[in-house]
Amino acid sequence: MPGFSEALPNRSEIRPDQQVDSIADIDARALYDRGIRAIAFDADQTLCRFHGMGIHERLLMNIEVMRGLFADRLCIISNCTDTRRQELIEHFPLYVVPVRKRKPSPLPYREAERHFDVPPEQWAFVGDRILTDIVGANRAGWHSILVPPLVPETDPWFIALMRSYERLLRRAYGM
């Protein structure tokens, strides 16, 4: 479940601003035209398979477009262990935000804002999980983009269970 210390999300917090089939389908120019100047991504199942060691090849072309358009103001915000964070730093060409408090807390989002000196209304966050990624981005005042998991069969059982819960929650809220 989301950082259990966080309050349960309300309907507006679980609703993504945008839903696409993949990072490859995100229209970076449209985001830029609406005032977005920086993008953060979840790592596992958003940029790569669960515990993958690099950006999924299908996404690379659009990530490069985003890097140019957003002047390299791209980063990763991931709820992960210190070991996994080191792997992300070593294998991904993006800044990895140090997470002292886990998503959906707005604190990791604020850390990204400080690092890049970009205010919340100019950020977008892309993630595959409602209760961590989308709720966190919405609580931080960022534009939230939901993508389906890249390789769902690599999810550990507890993530698969949480995805079932997220589907039930969305149904209960009529989404």
Side-chain angles (χ1 to χ4, degrees):
M1 299 272 258
F4 286 109
S5 61
E6 301 293 327
L8 284 176
N10 63 43
R11 179 183 300 221
S12 66
E13 289 176 329
I14 70 167
R15 184 180 310 248
D17 294 310
Q18 193 175 348
Q19 230 172 313
V20 294
D21 290 332
S22 161
I23 288 173
D25 298 324
I26 294 173
D27 185 342
R29 173 53 68 184
L31 288 176
Y32 189 86
D33 289 347
R34 71 181 310 243
I36 300 298
R37 295 298 179 263
I39 301 178
F41 303 92
D42 178 47
D44 295 327
Q45 297 294 25
T46 301
L47 289 172
C48 62
R49 61 184 285 139
F50 187 78
H51 280 204
M53 293 297 177
I55 296 173
H56 194 282
E57 62 193 41
R58 190 179 70 179
L59 312 177
L60 284 173
M61 187 179 343
N62 207 22
I63 294 288
E64 287 307 312
V65 168
M66 291 176 187
R67 284 182 94 141
L69 191 59
F70 297 103
D72 265 339
R73 288 185 302 265
L74 305 179
C75 65
I76 294 173
I77 301 174
S78 180
N79 288 349
C80 59
T81 64
D82 290 339
T83 301
R84 178 63 176 148
R85 183 170 186 277
Q86 278 310 118
E87 291 172 354
L88 294 173
I89 290 168
E90 290 173 28
H91 298 284
F92 288 76
L94 304 174
Y95 174 70
V96 181
V97 174
V99 175
R100 290 169 186 80
K101 185 137 168 92
R102 296 168 65 86
K103 298 177 289 181
S105 168
L107 293 177
Y109 301 86
R110 298 294 174 249
E111 181 62 35
E113 293 165 13
R114 277 189 294 280
H115 179 81
F116 289 101
D117 195 27
V118 175
E121 64 275 6
Q122 293 180 3
W123 276 91
F125 187 84
V126 183
D128 65 299
R129 300 276 315 283
I130 297 284
L131 292 175
T132 54
D133 303 328
I134 300 307
V135 170
N138 288 339
R139 285 179 176 172
W142 291 21
H143 181 79
S144 58
I145 303 172
L146 180 65
V147 294
L150 274 172
V151 190
E153 58 274 11
T154 65
D155 274 343
W157 68 269
F158 57 91
I159 300 285
L161 182 64
M162 286 311 303
R163 289 189 197 285
S164 296
Y165 176 70
E166 289 173 349
R167 284 190 296 275
L168 285 172
L169 189 60
R170 289 186 84 186
R171 267 187 247 143
Y173 281 145
M175 301 169 74

